[in-house]
Amino acid sequence: MKKTFLLLASCAFMAACGSNSSSSENGTVANADADSADAAAMSAATRQSDVDTSSMNIGTDRTAGGAGSLAEKGAQLIAQSDCAACHHIDQKVVGPAYEAVAQKYEANQKDTDYLASKIIQGGKGVWGEIPMTPHPNISKEDAQAMAQYILSLKK
């Protein structure tokens, strides 16, 4: 009797767990893989309406192409670079805080060019003995934008 019960329970368990199909709304049996294949075939444009990008202003930045200020461009360039490893806005890390640099230099073309050259060539001795890593891959224009952003933080 126990053997029969165990056999029937095992069969019922295997029948319940081993099925890879499901019934759809209209009573037909559909393969579970068909749903994922249909989803993969759906174009991104069709799914795009499901995404609300307006809450974070994603994809709606109209300043690309020069409409933003040079300091804003500098802030974006700094955020995309390795500057945060050594500098923060308001506290000294390895190098000086951006606000300390802004306090030391005037927001004029001469100091902007000087700081841009320090970004590109690196330096040592102005803020201590720890050298600033050179960034030769940064263009002069980008370095000037970064320097303008730093100088814009003057209080």
Side-chain angles (χ1 to χ4, degrees):
M1 180 76 161
K2 287 183 181 179
K3 290 181 182 180
T4 307
F5 177 73
L6 284 173
L7 180 65
L8 288 174
S10 297
C11 290
F13 179 74
M14 289 173 34
C17 294
S19 176
N20 193 20
S21 63
S22 60
S23 296
S24 65
E25 296 170 5
N26 60 6
T28 61
V29 176
N31 187 346
D33 293 334
D35 289 338
S36 60
D38 290 342
M42 186 185 307
S43 72
T46 305
R47 293 188 308 263
Q48 184 64 32
S49 63
D50 298 339
V51 180
D52 180 19
T53 59
S54 63
S55 64
M56 293 181 12
N57 207 18
I58 298 172
T60 58
D61 182 11
R62 304 294 186 238
T63 62
S69 75
L70 200 57
E72 289 172 349
K73 179 183 177 188
Q76 291 173 349
L77 291 167
I78 286 173
Q80 295 168 355
S81 73
D82 63 346
C83 299
C86 298
H87 302 278
H88 287 177
I89 291 176
D90 57 356
Q91 62 184 349
K92 178 181 179 359
V93 183
V94 174
Y98 296 138
E99 289 178 350
V101 174
Q103 294 306 316
K104 184 171 185 161
Y105 297 99
E106 294 297 318
N108 58 34
Q109 192 61 45
K110 176 185 167 197
D111 288 341
T112 300
D113 290 341
Y114 173 76
L115 292 173
S117 71
K118 287 293 187 180
I119 291 169
I120 295 169
Q121 298 169 3
K124 178 180 167 186
V126 178
W127 295 93
E129 291 303 309
I130 299 173
M132 179 173 160
T133 307
H135 298 85
N137 295 334
I138 296 178
S139 71
K140 182 178 179 182
E141 293 79 22
D142 286 350
Q144 287 175 330
M146 295 164 97
Q148 279 235 309
Y149 165 71
I150 293 166
L151 292 172
S152 74
L153 297 174
K154 189 170 198 162
K155 291 181 178 183

